[in-house]
Amino acid sequence: MPARERRRRRRLTRRELLVFLAVLGPGIIVNMVDTDAGGITTYSVSGARYGYNLLWVLTITAVLLALIQELVVRLGTVTGRGLAALIRERFSLRVTALVMLALVFTNFANTVSNFAGLAASLQLFHLPPLLAIPPLAFAVWWLVVKGTYKRVEKVFLVVSLVYIAYFISAFMAGPDWSEVGRSLVVPKVSMETSYLVLAVTNIGTTIAPWMLFYQQSSIVDKGLDADKLAYERMDTLVGVFFAVVVGMLIIICCAAAFYYKPGVGAFSITSAEEAAAGLAPIAGKYASYLFGFGLFSASLFAASILPLTTAYTVCEAFGWEATIDRPYREAPQFYLTYTLFIVGSALLVMIPRINLVFIMVASQTLNGILLPVIVTFMLILANDRELMGEYANKPRFNTLMLVSLAFLYLINLAMIVSTFLPSG
Amino acid sequence: MEEGQVYLASLLRREVRDAKDREVGHVEDLAFDLAAKPPVATDIAVHLQWTDRIGGLLLPRPVEDIVLLMPWSEVEAIEPEAVYLRHEHPEFEVASSEGKLLLRRDVLNKQMVDAEGNRLQRVDAVILKPEGVLLFLEGLQVGMEWFPPGRRMERIVGKLRRRYNRAGEENIIPYEAILRVDEGELVIRT
């Protein structure tokens, strides 16, 4: 190859890299937020109770997540419309209203669970939640209400870096890496109810309906079109990779610290904050602090994204102004939804001795019903040649998606049933 | 909704019968001329169960599930149980859909914006008025009995109804307020 041609190709690669960096955001953010308080709890309990035996489940989850998010990326970049808008235009006001109602409820419950995670992590650092939650809630509210999308996205991308805490915690716990490697690809299936429930919950907490709406809306808000499809696919793959790796590291950390250490009551770990506190005598107080810091940041991150995605989705569905680049008077429904979610969740968590179990279980059940329904809608939309043109689904991708969808229906049915079973 | 008015949604999927009273398909969409005062239906899109000819041309083999646009002159009558066509299946006149405004595809559930591009709300229903065999566009409904429109939207609709001297239903934007239909959204004069 002549030197000039080589130089030209190098320039092209650099240009492509710059475009990729500009596009970077929606895919990474949505996948990192996915590792929220509920996710961290599930991964912690999985590692503490079953060691590395559930790692293979996350390998399958990564494939499912990548497939579903590819649909989101294609729908967003090709149509230039949010998922809620597309559902509304295709499936009528009544169907949209039902979907929105379910989504608002599940998102609110998830936001409450993240504020609860925030409160628990604050206690690890001996900070009283009653004093710390109001200013933190105000900070996330302020960031969106007073910010622009570019600024908010930059802050969120920087916050994503806190997940490095889990890399360090996992290494400090001293896992057997060769055993980890084997468990990633060789499934160790147990027929114990508790094991099966955790396997299903791992998939269910990693793929949530809200993330599909959020990612597509932020792709549209960022103005990414079909020309940027390849870059946004890359952004999503990077996000899926890191989200699954973080999930795996939490499992590895808790497995090494609790499951493989004789005398440590692995089954006594029932939450992320217990896992963080339990790490101190085993892996040192810094590993415990890092784990707790990860929980704090993830909860805070999710507590701001979930209200944002709800506001986006509801406004898109009903046609109200929905962008963080507009002032309050131009998008009142958007800011009201966002504010009510943050204030309501923060207040609910601050009520002493409140039992949030019912709202969490109900939200998990609704999530389980909603996800396959939304993916079915997406599949119908992605097959609409009038809407998607040359980017409509190809037969091979459809086969792959139909198999995944059948698996999702099965998994979510199992998850709904499991929420009513004692998990042991 | 006032007496004599119908929802577009109530016409969609209505059975379509040919001159021999055979069921041939269902209503898929309606094309309207927005420049007419009031806007009038110009074509009907019929989802045919099958056909072996298009515009008098014989196809190499019959095709199933095809949507054809037919000029309104093809419509014999609109009855509550079915829409009747003048010709026998498959001898229908066909029209090109190029440049046509289709109510289901381009209007129903679509985003409404003001002249500055600010989002208002979506079109929750399209109101039509049949007169004999003709069909006129009355306006665009915002909100339903179970889903009230926002206060801002109520104010805008009230203002528009006063401007165009409309009494009665408060949540219907008169057709005169539709400035144009751009790709994916309707521009409304506020």
Side-chain angles (χ1 to χ4, degrees), chain A residues 49 264-271 274:
Chain A
R49 292 188 181 183
V264 176
F267 269 77
S268 65
I269 304 293
T270 57
S271 65
E274 280 173 14

Side-chain angles (χ1 to χ4, degrees), chain A residues 81 84-86 88-94 97 220 315-322 326 329-330 332-333 386, chain B residues 104-105 108-112 116-125 143-148 150 152 183-184:
Chain A
R81 297 209 280 280
L86 292 180
R88 168 68 194 270
E89 286 170 17
R90 178 71 188 244
F91 302 99
S92 85
L93 174 64
R94 227 171 266 275
V220 173
C315 291
E316 258 175 25
F318 300 118
W320 302 320
E321 198 58 79
R326 299 272 185 132
R329 65 176 189 284
E330 288 178 23
Q333 290 95 344
E386 199 180 329
Chain B
R104 181 191 184 169
R105 188 191 65 186
L108 185 62
N109 290 315
K110 289 288 186 281
Q111 180 70 54
M112 287 186 285
E116 281 83 45
N118 300 306
R119 286 190 193 180
L120 300 171
Q121 195 165 321
R122 285 182 181 272
V123 178
D124 293 323
M144 293 284 180
E145 305 85 61
W146 52 273
F147 180 71
R152 182 175 167 232
E183 203 181 322

Side-chain angles (χ1 to χ4, degrees), chain A residues 320 333, chain B residues 112 120-121 124 141-145 147-162 168-174 190:
Chain A
W320 302 320
Q333 290 95 344
Chain B
M112 287 186 285
L120 300 171
Q121 195 165 321
D124 293 323
Q141 183 171 316
V142 286
M144 293 284 180
E145 305 85 61
F147 180 71
R151 236 190 280 166
R152 182 175 167 232
M153 203 59 221
E154 270 179 344
R155 273 200 304 272
I156 291 172
V157 178
K159 201 172 90 181
L160 289 172
R161 294 192 72 80
R162 281 192 299 279
E169 291 292 322
E170 285 304 307
N171 59 344
I172 297 171
I173 298 174
T190 55

